[in-house]
């Protein structure tokens, strides 16, 4: 890895993600649910610039309102920088500037992308040359979605979602993302799912022991076929999230009436991801959603995982 520590700092970019398939199994001994998910990295990205500093600090710019985001040691980017420094025995600090475009608590792994880009940027800034395996091990400790933000592309995640295996994907899928004005807590959505399963234990099948990703999803991704993928999109967190935020049902209907092949909640929501056949229909849907006063952005996937950007 090259070291490009100039007055411009070192820049790294990492993608947000859409879970095109998410099945939630039972609660494991560590308190996490056993999941099976198919991740797709999308072109809504975070840029992290790392500058030499004695201490650890972070500041935000970009299209997302970050005024409520903590910038102390609880911020995932700071956690990532400190974890890397600790593991490498590096004694200095870093100032991070994050150009943020992935919604906060939106179910698209924005914080995870910040953490992944920070690992790469600090590794280069400090000249550590950590191996991919070392970075992945640190990433898994920082959060279940951080390893995927490092790897990117298309991948299957099992366990907490952090045990990754790459999946083949052809072509580009076009998405329109309806961003919500509020965030949703991932643990709250999982708790709602557990409550639902307890309430209906008599009527529904018990949660799968080791959930798996449907073969149809893998087939659709491999074929690069949006129609086939639209038919196999699935998210077990959608029903509990809609229970907590019923207004999202209307957003889903609006997209599906305006040219989307299908819509689904991204991760634990509240971002709604609409799969469209091509770029033109994406633009039309974006206009329709904007006319209903929703914030809509277009993205394609799959894209690269975290990487250094040379200015
Ligand atoms: P996931 O889909 O991985 O569950 P998410 O996209 O729903 O994540 P994030 O935006 O990654 O949610 O962040 C979840 C929580 O983490 C937020 O409520 C926020 O307070 C906290 N957080 C800490 N650092 C960051 C960061 N750099 N960016 C965004 N959120 C952060």
């Amino acid at each position: 890895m090259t070291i490009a520590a100039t007055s411009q700092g070192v820049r790294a970019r990492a993608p947000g993600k859409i879970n095109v398939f998410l099945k939630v199994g039972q609660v494991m001994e560590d308190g996490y649910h056993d999941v099976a998910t198919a991740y797709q990295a999308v072109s809504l990205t975070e840029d992290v610039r790392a500058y030499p500093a004695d201490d650890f600090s972070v500041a935000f710019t970009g299209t997302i309102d970050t005024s409520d985001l903590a910038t102390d040691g609880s911020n995932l980017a700071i956690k990532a920088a400190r974890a890397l420094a600790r593991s490498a025995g590096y004694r200095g600090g870093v100032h991070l500037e994050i150009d943020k475009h992935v919604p906060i608590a939106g179910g698209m792994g924005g914080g995870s992308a910040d953490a992944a880009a920070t690992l790469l940027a600090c590794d280069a800034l400090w000249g550590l040359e950590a191996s991919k395996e070392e970075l992945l091990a640190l990433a898994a400790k920082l959060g279940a979605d951080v390893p995927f933000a490092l790897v990117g592309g298309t991948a299957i995640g099992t366990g907490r979602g952090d045990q990754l295996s790459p999946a083949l994907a052809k072509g580009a899928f076009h998405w329109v993302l309806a961003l919500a004005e509020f965030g949703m807590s991932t643990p709250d959505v999982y708790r709602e799912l557990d409550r639902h399963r307890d309430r209906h234990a008599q009527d529904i099948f018990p949660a799968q022991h080791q959930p798996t990703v449907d073969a149809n999803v893998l087939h659709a991704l491999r074929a690069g076929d949006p129609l086939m993928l639209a038919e196999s999109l699935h998210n077990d967190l959608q029903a509990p999230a809609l229970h907590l935020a019923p207004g999202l049902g209307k957003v889903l209907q609006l997209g599906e009436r305006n040219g989307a092949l299908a819509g689904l909640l991204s991760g634990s929501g509240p971002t709604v991801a609409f799969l469209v056949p091509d770029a033109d229909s994406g633009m039309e849907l974006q206009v329709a959603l904007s006319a209903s006063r929703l914030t809509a952005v277009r993205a394609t996937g799959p894209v690269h995982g975290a990487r250094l950007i040379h200015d």
Side-chain angles (χ1 to χ4, degrees), residues 17 19 21-24 33 35 107 184-194 197 234-244 248 264-269:
K17 53 84 185 169
N19 301 81
F21 183 92
L22 176 59
K23 195 132 225 152
V24 181
H33 288 77
V35 305
M184 280 173 83
S185 140
T186 303
D188 283 356
V189 178
Y190 273 98
R191 266 194 294 274
E192 182 59 30
L193 174 70
D194 290 339
R197 285 179 171 171
H234 175 81
N235 182 356
D236 269 354
L237 295 178
Q238 182 157 316
L242 286 180
H243 202 248
L244 293 173
L248 294 173
L264 100 160
L265 215 67
S266 180
S268 54

Side-chain angles (χ1 to χ4, degrees), residues 2-307:
T2 51
I3 304 164
T6 64
S7 57
Q8 298 294 303
V10 172
R11 183 151 72 116
R13 177 173 296 165
K17 53 84 185 169
I18 296 171
N19 301 81
V20 297
F21 183 92
L22 176 59
K23 195 132 225 152
V24 181
Q26 295 170 346
V27 182
M28 299 185 288
E29 275 179 7
D30 60 7
Y32 281 84
H33 288 77
D34 199 8
V35 305
T37 189
Y39 290 108
Q40 185 174 112
V42 294
S43 57
L44 199 61
T45 55
E46 308 276 79
D47 269 19
V48 174
R49 258 182 214 281
Y51 299 91
D54 296 332
D55 211 340
F56 292 83
S57 57
V58 62
F60 289 91
T61 56
T63 49
I64 300 294
D65 177 8
T66 53
S67 49
D68 288 338
L69 200 55
T71 51
D72 59 10
S74 68
N75 194 285
L76 269 169
I78 302 261
K79 280 190 180 170
R82 283 193 197 277
L84 179 65
R86 209 176 307 122
S87 84
Y90 181 75
R91 286 166 173 276
V94 66
H95 174 65
L96 301 165
E97 284 183 12
I98 304 185
D99 194 29
K100 195 159 182 64
H101 300 280
V102 180
I104 297 168
M108 292 193 63
S112 303
D114 295 347
T118 297
L119 288 175
L120 271 199
C122 290
D123 178 71
L125 181 73
W126 298 335
L128 303 177
E129 302 193 18
S131 68
K132 194 174 164 199
E133 289 68 32
E134 286 167 322
L135 293 179
L136 278 171
L138 283 172
K141 284 192 200 141
L142 289 162
D145 292 337
V146 186
F148 178 69
L150 270 182
V151 171
T154 308
I156 303 306
T158 52
R160 292 162 50 182
D162 56 348
Q163 287 163 32
L164 297 177
S165 49
L168 289 177
K170 201 170 96 180
F173 293 93
H174 296 266
W175 299 93
V176 179
L177 305 162
L179 312 189
E181 282 170 0
F182 57 94
M184 280 173 83
S185 140
T186 303
D188 283 356
V189 178
Y190 273 98
R191 266 194 294 274
E192 182 59 30
L193 174 70
D194 290 339
R195 273 199 292 272
H196 175 83
R197 285 179 171 171
D198 287 346
R199 273 196 305 266
H200 300 284
Q202 309 289 332
D203 321 319
I204 56 177
F205 290 113
Q208 259 175 292
H209 180 49
Q210 273 184 325
T212 51
V213 174
D214 280 2
N216 290 344
V217 180
L218 302 176
H219 190 186
L221 292 168
R222 246 191 338 258
D225 184 334
L227 274 172
M228 209 192 294
L229 185 61
E231 280 173 19
S232 41
L233 293 175
H234 175 81
N235 182 356
D236 269 354
L237 295 178
Q238 182 157 316
L242 286 180
H243 202 248
L244 293 173
L248 294 173
K250 287 215 168 59
V251 179
L252 280 161
Q253 283 172 6
L254 188 65
E256 288 175 358
R257 277 204 310 266
N258 283 281
L261 297 171
L264 100 160
L265 215 67
S266 180
S268 54
T271 306
V272 178
F274 293 106
L275 184 58
V276 288
D278 48 43
D280 284 347
S281 26
M283 253 179 293
E284 283 168 27
L285 177 54
Q286 186 184 25
V287 169
L289 294 174
S290 306
S292 297
R293 296 173 185 278
L294 291 167
T295 304
V297 295
R298 282 175 293 126
T300 57
V303 300
H304 281 276
R307 58 184 170 150

